[in-house]
Amino acid sequence: MTAYDRVRRTVGEINDLLCTLNLATWDARVQMPARGGAARGRQLATLAGVARERATSNELASAVDEALPLAENEDERAELQRVRDAVATLRRLPDGLVDAIAGHRATAQDAWEAAKAANDFAVFVPALRETLRLQRAFADALGWEEHPYDALVAHYEPGMTTARVRALLSRLREGLLPLLDAIVAKGVPEPEFRRKEVGVEAQRVAALHFARIVGYDLDRGRLDASAHPFEISFTRDDVRITTRYRTDYFPMSLFGTLHEAGHALYEQGVDPRWVRTAFTTDIVGLYAVAGTSYGAHESQSRLIENQLGRSAPFWDAHYAELLATHGDALDGVDVNAFVRGINHVAPSPTRVEADELTYDLHIMLRVEIEAALLDGTLAAEDVPKAWAEKTEELLGLEVTDDRSGALQDIHWSAGLVGAFPTYTFGNVMSAQWMAAARERDPAVAPALERGDSGPLRAWLHENVHRHGRRYLPDELLGRATGSGLDPEPYLAYLREKYTRLYAL
Ligand code: ZN
């Protein structure tokens, strides 16, 4: 067996362990009985621990060193370099720190739940302080130059820095706020149809239908319900999604399903050659995933949910199919009113309820707070005050309590500091893919006008999905669009769309 084969075998085993871990996670979030949590937590920790042991073993490190100079082509070299870098990063993380971060997660989650129940951020503060201490140590172990937040941001989005994030967000802010002001000044009330009752079964039928329409392969996937929707894969041939049904707000399941189906297309579309390799395994994050970064993954879900799924031509072509299940709720609502309604803009204090236009403002607020918490310029106990100030400044809203303010997100209690910016990267990238697809393949735009997303999806498959983690996000974007992360196509898309919908 060559050194390269030995690398492949070990990474394949790591991938098997992590796919199994994903399966146990899916089960925990979809159908596990309530009392199963503690035992499942131990099982997940054991699987992650064994995967980490394999990844940091001397055998793997020496096999990579032996194989690299013998690489036979660019793909092989890139694959081996990816493994080498991941192994080096993992080895820099002290065992004690990794265990402490994992061990603190349950404590922080409990504290967050208790704080939400009491509607009092102060209850969460001691746990948050410990999270920040651990994340700061994690950042130091990963290494950073200008700002400790750099290390955490790059952990989720390789190549990103705090400075790049801030420049991107400030440009978005400049573009978004005037547009939002103009829309709010119009005073358009929320359309009533969105709150009309639609039964769960009707929503489920529609969700499956529209997931298929956008290309989700149900022979290699399935749709279930869960409190927090997600997509998860156990190799390209078993990629599952969930959605959430609210009988008093059917857009939740409809657009939530399109969103997760967009994630699933990425996972289902990866080249079979990359299955069980470093190009479908996040070795540092100990996560089996084909998407090259959180932001790139989110760009696929946002593209399907928003750029495609909230567009007028899509519904011109498919509205009748929705009426088949949602006809009572949509009685008297023509397709133009429907499209306006699903794109209704209304600033809300809650991120997960935010519309497309205000979503990134929620991210800006969190990024500023996270970065300041991490470098010590903001103390944990002062978060609610900062939260209220920034909500007023960005969304023009008053925060009335901690539960709907600084306690609304699960991220900090889950130890996910630095992940928020990836939602905005996803939005920004989604517009870049769309613009490039239209520009570079003449079949894409006319097909979209007819409600046919086939050529668009073929372009995405060719330029994004099939590569898995073969290229880092900047490289992937550069190859397919000719530029790096650039907010201008996204701002242009939003300006054009809302100017038209709101007759600005
Ligand atoms: Zn997503």
Side-chain angles (χ1 to χ4, degrees):
M1 193 181 259
T2 66
Y4 177 69
D5 291 338
R6 296 206 308 277
V7 172
R8 275 250 167 148
R9 186 184 60 188
T10 303
V11 172
E13 287 167 357
I14 293 169
N15 183 271
D16 290 340
L17 287 163
L18 297 175
C19 284
T20 309
L21 192 154
N22 281 357
L23 173 57
T25 302
W26 173 85
D27 175 77
R29 295 175 66 176
V30 171
Q31 59 183 13
M32 183 182 72
R35 297 274 298 276
R40 185 59 49 87
R42 281 191 297 276
Q43 292 154 4
L44 296 174
T46 297
L47 284 166
V50 175
R52 187 162 176 276
E53 251 172 57
R54 289 276 161 102
T56 53
S57 67
N58 291 331
E59 288 74 20
L60 181 58
S62 57
V64 172
D65 286 342
E66 202 183 311
L68 243 178
L70 307 171
E72 287 179 1
N73 54 55
E74 268 314 300
D75 284 340
E76 224 174 275
R77 196 176 345 269
E79 183 184 351
L80 290 164
Q81 277 165 347
R82 194 62 57 78
V83 179
R84 184 196 58 191
D85 294 350
V87 166
T89 303
L90 267 184
R91 287 177 149 212
R92 279 205 304 278
L93 302 174
D95 287 341
L97 178 62
V98 173
D99 292 344
I101 289 173
H104 178 59
R105 203 164 288 143
T107 315
Q109 213 97 310
D110 288 348
W112 178 66
E113 297 283 358
K116 277 213 302 184
N119 197 11
D120 184 0
F121 194 84
V123 174
F124 181 51
V125 166
L128 178 58
R129 279 203 198 106
E130 179 62 5
T131 298
L132 292 167
R133 189 185 70 78
L134 292 168
Q135 290 297 312
R136 178 61 203 254
F138 185 56
D140 291 344
L142 289 171
W144 52 272
E145 280 171 20
E146 285 178 12
H147 195 288
Y149 195 50
D150 288 349
L152 302 185
V153 171
H155 181 59
Y156 299 102
E157 199 69 15
M160 269 296 155
T161 62
T162 313
R164 279 184 77 186
V165 174
R166 283 184 167 147
L168 179 76
L169 292 179
S170 101
R171 175 68 191 111
L172 283 178
R173 182 188 166 132
E174 235 174 64
L176 291 175
L177 288 182
L179 200 51
L180 180 61
D181 284 347
I183 291 171
V184 170
K186 286 264 176 176
V188 178
E190 183 186 340
E192 279 172 25
F193 74 80
R194 311 199 313 176
R195 307 277 167 186
K196 291 251 173 83
E197 189 170 331
V198 179
V200 168
E201 183 52 22
Q203 292 191 44
R204 201 184 64 85
V205 170
L208 279 168
H209 175 72
F210 285 99
R212 263 194 209 100
I213 292 270
V214 299
Y216 180 47
D217 179 356
L218 278 149
D219 291 335
R220 299 189 289 135
R222 55 178 284 143
L223 171 72
D224 292 274
S226 69
H228 302 283
F230 64 101
E231 169 277 327
I232 199 161
S233 89
F234 332 132
T235 84
R236 71 191 295 281
D237 290 329
D238 188 349
V239 179
R240 305 188 188 182
I241 61 174
T242 70
T243 196
R244 183 177 159 206
Y245 299 107
R246 261 181 58 182
T247 51
D248 61 348
Y249 190 69
F250 72 81
M252 172 85 70
S253 70
L254 183 59
F255 292 98
T257 301
L258 290 177
H259 179 98
E260 302 307 334
H263 280 302
L265 292 185
Y266 203 162
E267 297 293 316
Q268 290 187 328
V270 68
D271 191 324
R273 283 191 300 157
W274 302 148
V275 167
R276 297 180 78 248
T277 74
F279 297 147
T280 49
T281 315
D282 175 0
I283 297 173
V284 176
L286 295 174
Y287 185 41
V289 64
T292 191
S293 67
Y294 279 63
H297 227 305
E298 197 64 10
S299 75
Q300 299 309 299
S301 57
R302 302 279 165 143
L303 192 153
I304 298 297
E305 175 193 356
N306 292 331
Q307 305 261 336
L308 178 68
R310 290 183 203 270
S311 72
F314 182 82
W315 289 107
D316 284 338
H318 297 295
Y319 193 49
E321 295 151 38
L322 184 65
L323 292 178
T325 47
H326 292 45
D328 289 345
L330 294 169
D331 189 27
V333 179
D334 69 18
V335 66
N336 296 326
F338 178 75
V339 170
R340 278 198 304 277
I342 59 175
N343 286 294
H344 180 70
V345 172
S348 144
T350 314
R351 177 182 59 87
V352 296
E353 287 170 13
D355 53 73
E356 201 180 349
L357 186 66
T358 55
Y359 194 93
D360 298 297
L361 302 173
H362 289 268
I363 299 304
M364 284 172 209
L365 174 165
R366 285 155 180 78
V367 167
E368 286 178 33
I369 290 178
E370 276 189 344
L373 281 172
L374 211 66
D375 68 23
T377 52
L378 178 70
E381 62 270 25
D382 296 330
V383 167
K385 191 168 162 277
W387 196 283
E389 283 170 11
K390 289 182 193 304
T391 303
E392 161 73 47
E393 183 187 315
L394 292 165
L395 293 156
L397 296 171
E398 199 185 325
V399 175
T400 50
D401 63 348
D402 288 344
R403 204 180 282 146
S404 63
L407 286 173
Q408 64 180 274
D409 297 307
I410 197 169
H411 297 62
W412 294 340
S413 72
L416 291 167
V417 180
F420 278 125
T422 63
Y423 295 110
T424 290
F425 301 155
N427 286 331
V428 166
M429 266 187 236
S430 73
Q432 289 185 263
W433 301 127
M434 188 58 125
R438 285 172 180 279
E439 200 181 289
R440 299 189 171 201
D441 181 346
V444 169
L448 285 174
E449 282 307 310
R450 298 190 303 272
D452 173 9
S453 59
L456 169 69
R457 285 186 280 113
W459 189 91
L460 291 170
H461 176 77
E462 182 61 26
N463 289 281
V464 183
H465 304 159
R466 74 185 174 94
H467 298 301
R469 303 172 69 85
R470 167 68 178 84
Y471 302 106
L472 293 174
D474 283 324
E475 210 180 347
L476 188 72
L477 258 181
R479 287 170 58 95
T481 73
S483 84
L485 196 64
D486 174 11
E488 300 310 325
Y490 183 49
L491 286 171
Y493 152 78
L494 292 173
R495 243 181 263 119
E496 189 280 324
K497 169 170 173 167
Y498 289 108
T499 302
R500 184 167 36 79
L501 286 171
Y502 280 85
L504 300 175

